[in-house]
């Protein structure tokens, strides 16, 4: 008689037949950095996450490396006085994110550093690009030219991957061309290819200050980010990014879009990244704080689902805690 429960009878058997595992090699840790030497600034909507000075960011990278995490994604939090409608500080040779990259690479040259390429941390209106003459829509082509210049500056600072998260048309090809012409042929492009106009980004916007700039957590980016209803359209975007020269394709958010991750995995031979975004992280913490979920088990299960769907790497605010638990052998209990 066929009894599938025989393969679930003990921890040893379950471990032996387990199909998917999350390992520390899968994890990318997002880090928020601010200018100056002040103390850590906890992000209220992201429990356990703080904005840090460059010096503390470098120290955090050392700790993460010791836990086995080999990749970080940097996001700058600028003083509002540096923001304007054009996001001009993004092209400053001494921009915060460039100084942070140089500091990390000087202290930890083997740490993989990924930098965001978008204008939302730099614009006073909080959009990912510059606005057109009407002031109501993002100007695609003018934004793309700025993003390509940003990517070149970040590559010159020493990043391993530039990660355009803007969702402008044609930006991957423009970025790859600009990087190659500037001699940065070894700098990779990790494309936020299927980034949806999601309601799960609010805490992130708190962390980088774009919600404060815009005056709302719910900035409307539906003219450039994907409709949450459209899986086929996401595959169009990922195919175009691959054709334009992306090295890695990302789906964002992750948990609510497992079907998209699986679909992308089935249509490309490139590595697939997934971003477990701030709202996913925050809701797990909120439910656990109310006693409705076991925090550790929900964390493990959420990451496992993303990996099972087909992600090769996961950007997650749980990275440090997960790596600590993996080191302690707590996975899969």
């Amino acid at each position: 008689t066929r009894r599938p429960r025989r393969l679930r009878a003990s921890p040893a058997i379950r471990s032996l037949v387990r199909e998917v595992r999350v390992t520390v090699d899968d994890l990318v840790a997002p880090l928020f950095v601010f200018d100056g030497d002040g103390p850590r600034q906890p992000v209220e909507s992201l429990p356990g996450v703080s904005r840090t000075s460059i010096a503390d960011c470098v120290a955090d990278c050392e700790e993460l490396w010791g836990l086995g995490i080999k990749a970080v994604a940097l996001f700058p939090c600028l003083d509002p006085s540096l923001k304007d409608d054009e996001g001009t500080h993004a092209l400053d040779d001494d921009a915060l994110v460039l100084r942070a990259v140089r500091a990390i690479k000087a202290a930890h040259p083997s740490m993989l550093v990924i930098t965001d390429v978008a204008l939302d941390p730099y614009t006073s209106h909080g959009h990912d690009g510059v606005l057109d003459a009407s002031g109501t829509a993002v100007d695609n082509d003018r934004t793309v030219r700025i993003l390509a210049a940003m990517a070149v500056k970040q590559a010159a600072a020493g990043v391993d991957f530039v990660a355009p998260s803007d969702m402008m048309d044609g930006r991957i090809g423009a970025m790859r061309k600009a990087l190659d012409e500037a001699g940065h042929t070894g700098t990779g492009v990790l494309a936020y290819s299927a980034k949806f106009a999601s309601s799960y980004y609010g805490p992130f916007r708190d962390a980088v200050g774009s919600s404060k700039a815009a005056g709302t957590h719910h900035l409307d980016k539906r003219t450039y980010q994907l409709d949450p209803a459209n899986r086929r359209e996401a595959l169009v975007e990922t195919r175009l990014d691959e054709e334009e020269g992306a090295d890695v394709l990302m789906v964002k958010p992750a948990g609510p879009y497992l079907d998209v991750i699986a679909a992308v995995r089935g249509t490309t031979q490139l590595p697939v990244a997934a971003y477990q975004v701030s709202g996913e992280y925050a809701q797990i913490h909120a439910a656990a704080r109310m006693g409705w979920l076991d925090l550790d088990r929900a964390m493990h299960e959420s990451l496992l689902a993303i990996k099972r769907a087909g992600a090769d790497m996961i950007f997650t605010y749980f990275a440090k805690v997960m790596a600590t638990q993996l080191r302690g052998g707590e996975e899969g209990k």
Side-chain angles (χ1 to χ4, degrees), residues 68-329:
I69 294 174
K70 303 176 181 67
V72 296
L74 294 183
F75 298 96
C77 182
L78 270 63
D79 187 284
S81 66
L82 296 175
K83 300 185 180 190
D84 57 33
D85 286 351
E86 296 289 303
T88 53
H89 189 69
L91 297 182
D92 191 316
D93 289 333
D94 198 40
L96 169 61
V97 72
L98 303 182
R99 284 182 279 122
V101 170
R102 296 182 194 117
I104 292 169
K105 282 297 189 179
H108 310 292
S110 296
M111 177 64 83
L112 187 76
V113 179
I114 302 164
T115 44
D116 182 49
V117 185
L119 289 178
D120 51 318
Y122 303 93
T123 55
S124 52
H125 46 70
H127 277 289
D128 293 40
V130 293
L131 302 182
D132 63 12
S134 72
T136 60
V138 173
D139 186 323
N140 190 94
D141 295 353
R142 195 156 65 92
T143 297
V144 167
R145 290 192 290 272
I146 296 170
L147 298 176
M150 282 179 68
V152 171
K153 287 182 179 292
Q154 292 177 3
V159 303
D160 299 280
F161 283 91
V162 293
S165 62
D166 57 288
M167 289 300 288
M168 297 298 113
D169 293 338
R171 89 270 203 218
I172 302 303
M175 210 167 287
R176 184 72 269 165
K177 182 174 185 291
L179 288 167
D180 291 349
E181 289 178 349
H184 301 298
T185 56
T187 303
V189 178
L190 191 158
Y192 286 59
S193 301
K195 182 177 179 180
F196 289 85
S198 172
S199 60
Y200 285 82
Y201 300 147
F204 175 90
R205 292 172 182 168
D206 283 343
V208 299
S210 61
S211 61
K212 187 174 182 180
T216 176
H217 292 82
H218 310 296
L219 193 62
D220 190 349
K221 301 187 177 185
R222 288 176 293 178
T223 63
Y224 47 100
Q225 294 178 355
L226 284 165
D227 186 330
N230 293 358
R231 182 173 61 174
R232 293 194 303 273
E233 187 180 9
L235 296 179
V236 171
E237 290 281 5
T238 55
R239 177 177 56 80
L240 287 171
D241 283 359
E242 182 168 358
E243 291 172 355
E244 290 180 24
D247 298 287
V248 181
L249 306 175
M250 179 190 280
V251 177
K252 179 183 179 182
Y257 295 89
L258 297 180
D259 61 321
V260 178
I261 296 171
V264 173
R265 175 71 285 156
T267 58
T268 183
Q269 296 303 308
L270 292 180
V272 175
Y275 200 138
Q276 185 182 49
V277 300
S278 59
E280 298 176 69
Y281 173 89
Q283 69 181 2
I284 291 172
H285 265 280
R289 191 162 55 244
M290 295 297 293
W292 297 337
L293 290 178
D294 180 294
L295 178 60
D296 289 346
R297 293 184 65 181
M299 172 187 71
H300 281 266
E301 187 175 343
S302 67
L303 295 172
L304 185 66
I306 296 165
K307 178 76 178 287
R308 190 185 64 240
D312 298 293
M313 63 194 80
I314 305 170
F315 289 55
T316 176
Y317 303 99
F318 285 122
K320 179 181 173 181
V321 173
M322 186 69 178
T324 301
Q325 293 191 7
L326 289 171
R327 169 166 284 198

